[in-house]
Amino acid sequence: MIDGHMHLEYGPLSIEYVKEFVNEALKKGIDEIQILDHTHRFKEFEKTYDELRSIEVQDKWLSNKEMKFKDSLDDYLKLIEEAKKENFPIKVKFGLEVCYTSKSEDFLRNLLKNYHFDFLIGSVHSIEGILYDMSFSKELLWEKMSVDDIYQKYYSEIFKLVDSGLFTQLGHPDTIKLFNYYPTYDLSDTYRTLAKKLKKMNMKAECNTGCSYRYGHKDVGLSDELLKIFKEENVSIITASDAHHPEHVGTNIKEAVQRIQGD
C-alpha cells in the first residue's frame, strides 16, 4: 500500500522527524510513502501568495513566521540528500505540494525548472484569491459567491493545472466538497474532461482520505462518481492520507484501496 501525500509542516526538516512518519507507516502496513510540504513553508514561493494577502485574515495566516516561509528549498534538499543515504525499511520519496493558480504558473515554471524532486503535486487551494478550506472560508467565500460559480472556477483552475505539464500528481481533486456544498448542475461532464486530461498528461490523481478524517466528510477519498469515471478512463489513482502529523499516516488508506479495487 502507498500513502502518497504527507506533510512535515508541523515539525523540523530533520531525519528524526522523517523517521516518525516512516515508523507510523510500518505500523499501518504501508509499503511506500511520499513526504512533502506545502510551498508556503518555503521562502522561494512567497511571491505566489501575494493575492491572498489582500484579505486581512489570510494575510495574518500567512504572516505566521513560525509556520510560513521559514525555510529555504536548499534546507529541504539537504534533508532529502541525507534521507537518501538512510536504509529505510520502506520506500520513501520526497516532493512538494505546490499551491497552484493560473496567475502564478509562469513564476512556478521558472522556479521549479531549477529543482528535481521525486514527484510534484499540484493542488488548487483558493478561488479568486480566497482560500476555500479554512475556518473563515464560509464567511469569505461560500456565503458570498454562488456555489455553482465556485465549482466552475475551481475546475477551470484544475484543468489549467493539469494542462501546465508541471506536475506528476493532482492533489485532492474534489476536496472542494469538504463543507458539503454542491452545485446545482451535473458534474459528470466536468469529471470526464478532467479524467481525459489526466490520462493525456500521464498524471496520477489522488484518492485523498484527508477530507474524511480531517473535515468529517462522508466520502473516504474520491466521490463515487469521480472514482467511477477515473477508473473508466484508466486514470492512475494513488492513495493518500494528507497526514499533517505522523500519527495520521495511513489513515483510511486500506478503505481507499478497497474502494479503488471494488467493481
Side-chain angles (χ1 to χ4, degrees):
M1 291 191 296
I2 297 175
D3 189 339
H5 186 142
M6 61 190 66
H7 293 269
L8 299 175
E9 182 170 1
Y10 289 97
L13 295 177
S14 71
I15 285 294
E16 291 71 28
Y17 195 49
V18 167
K19 288 179 178 177
E20 291 186 37
F21 288 81
V22 172
N23 291 336
E24 189 65 29
L26 275 173
K27 291 180 188 177
K28 302 279 180 60
I30 303 296
D31 306 302
E32 178 180 328
I33 60 174
Q34 293 191 161
I35 291 175
L36 50 77
D37 235 337
H38 287 291
T39 44
H40 60 56
R41 179 173 187 145
F42 302 105
K43 299 171 185 176
E44 290 86 348
F45 292 93
E46 187 164 6
K47 179 178 173 59
T48 65
Y49 293 86
D50 284 350
E51 185 178 20
L52 297 184
R53 289 189 181 277
S54 64
I55 297 174
E56 184 177 0
V57 66
Q58 294 182 162
D59 182 53
K60 182 179 180 181
W61 180 72
L62 288 166
S63 297
N64 176 7
K65 289 300 183 181
E66 292 184 2
M67 296 289 292
K68 308 296 191 297
F69 315 116
K70 62 177 181 174
D71 297 303
S72 72
L73 283 175
D74 285 341
D75 297 327
Y76 186 38
L77 291 171
K78 287 177 184 176
L79 170 64
I80 295 172
E81 184 178 352
E82 186 179 355
K84 297 291 186 183
K85 297 175 183 177
E86 292 282 330
N87 186 26
F88 292 124
I90 61 173
K91 190 171 185 178
V92 181
K93 294 181 178 179
F94 291 87
L96 289 172
E97 181 178 14
V98 179
C99 188
Y100 174 91
T101 68
S102 53
K103 292 179 181 178
S104 65
E105 183 177 318
D106 289 342
F107 178 89
L108 292 172
R109 188 179 303 280
N110 288 329
L111 176 60
L112 292 169
K113 70 182 181 183
N114 299 313
Y115 299 90
H116 173 74
F117 296 95
D118 295 329
F119 64 94
L120 279 177
I121 296 175
S123 300
V124 172
H125 292 106
S126 61
I127 307 296
E128 294 190 342
I130 305 174
L131 295 164
Y132 63 75
D133 60 348
M134 303 292 286
S135 58
F136 50 73
S137 297
K138 290 185 180 181
E139 180 181 356
L140 291 180
L141 179 69
W142 292 101
E143 294 173 2
K144 289 188 175 180
M145 188 182 294
S146 156
V147 173
D148 284 7
D149 286 346
I150 292 172
Y151 268 77
Q152 287 164 1
K153 293 177 188 299
Y154 175 76
Y155 280 107
S156 174
E157 286 290 276
I158 290 285
F159 292 167
K160 292 173 185 175
L161 182 162
V162 176
D163 289 341
S164 75
L166 292 173
F167 308 105
T168 59
Q169 189 168 313
L170 175 60
H172 40 68
D174 64 343
T175 194
I176 195 73
K177 68 190 177 184
L178 80 168
F179 293 132
N180 288 298
Y181 291 102
Y182 291 95
T184 60
Y185 65 91
D186 186 354
L187 284 165
S188 58
D189 288 343
T190 300
Y191 290 163
R192 187 75 61 181
T193 299
L194 174 58
K196 290 182 181 298
K197 286 178 176 291
L198 287 165
K199 183 66 177 177
K200 178 182 177 182
M201 300 303 291
N202 194 32
M203 275 181 68
K204 295 178 181 177
E206 291 180 1
C207 187
N208 188 309
T209 64
C211 211
S212 174
Y213 74 89
R214 294 179 65 212
Y215 295 96
H217 197 279
K218 65 179 180 61
D219 293 341
V220 180
L222 298 165
S223 69
D224 289 341
E225 182 182 18
L226 184 51
L227 177 58
K228 177 176 179 289
I229 290 173
F230 278 175
K231 290 172 68 175
E232 288 173 352
E233 297 293 338
N234 295 311
V235 173
S236 178
I237 303 171
I238 184 170
T239 48
S241 69
D242 214 326
H244 282 61
H245 303 276
E247 60 266 29
H248 291 156
V249 171
T251 301
N252 295 337
I253 292 297
K254 288 182 180 178
E255 294 90 334
V257 170
Q258 289 170 354
R259 291 188 65 225
I260 294 167
Q261 293 177 344
D263 295 329

